[in-house]
Amino acid sequence: MATLVFYLEEGQSMSHVLEPGTTTVGRHPDSIIVLDTPSVSGHHAIIELSEDGCLVSDQQSSNGTRLNGVTVEEAVLKEGDRIAFGDVQAVFYEGDVTESQELQEAAHTPSLPTPEVIYVPPPEAPPRDVIPPSSPADYRKVQRPPARPRAVRVSGYPDTSESGCLTALIVIGLFFAAGVTGLYMRHYQETEGGNLISDLISKVSNQVPKIKIEQ
């Protein structure tokens, strides 16, 4: 009959007697050996005990199964082999394990050193009455170049008095030409092809009285 001795946190140990057949190891409650540790997968490994020996098989766990420090997928266990399921360490014994053997094995199991705490005193604050020294002032005079006078821009509107009169004359001329053209076209339509200028001249000449000069 074989035995596995697990070494847990805070120096605690746990022994489990392996029965012939299959023994499951994992974090899941349906495992035969339940290891409630984050580094152990739900179904971490399987241990098979038979007349031919004891075989450990990793079940594709997240952190792997190591035998004497070497990661294995499947290996045969021998007396005193160290098996690591994630971060949980165990020792394999081919027979029963007495309490004295467990204590002896626990004594040889290396433990992590306790970190040394170093006290660093806080920096001393200066007295309130002491005024901290100020940085020396720079009394050197810097000569600046003389400022240039700004250019004054004069803005205004151009004198358009003459061009305004010319524009007014042009507009009046355009209105007069448009009126004459309209009268000419109307007279042309009413007289069916008459000439406005010749008709006006003939009309004026007919209204002027004829004066006979007697000799």
Side-chain angles (χ1 to χ4, degrees), residues 3 14 27 30 38 43 81 138 148 153 158 195 200 202-203 208:
T3 306
M14 178 185 69
R27 194 174 70 252
D30 63 358
H43 299 89
D81 283 344
D138 189 3
R148 296 180 180 180
R153 296 182 179 180
N195 192 344
L200 286 175
S202 62
K203 188 175 182 179
V208 174

Side-chain angles (χ1 to χ4, degrees), residues 83-106:
I83 313 165
F85 304 97
D87 293 338
V88 179
Q89 302 290 330
V91 178
F92 174 75
Y93 297 96
E94 294 181 353
D96 296 336
V97 179
T98 62
E99 184 177 356
S100 60
Q101 287 178 330
E102 292 182 12
L103 294 176
Q104 184 179 4
E105 188 65 31

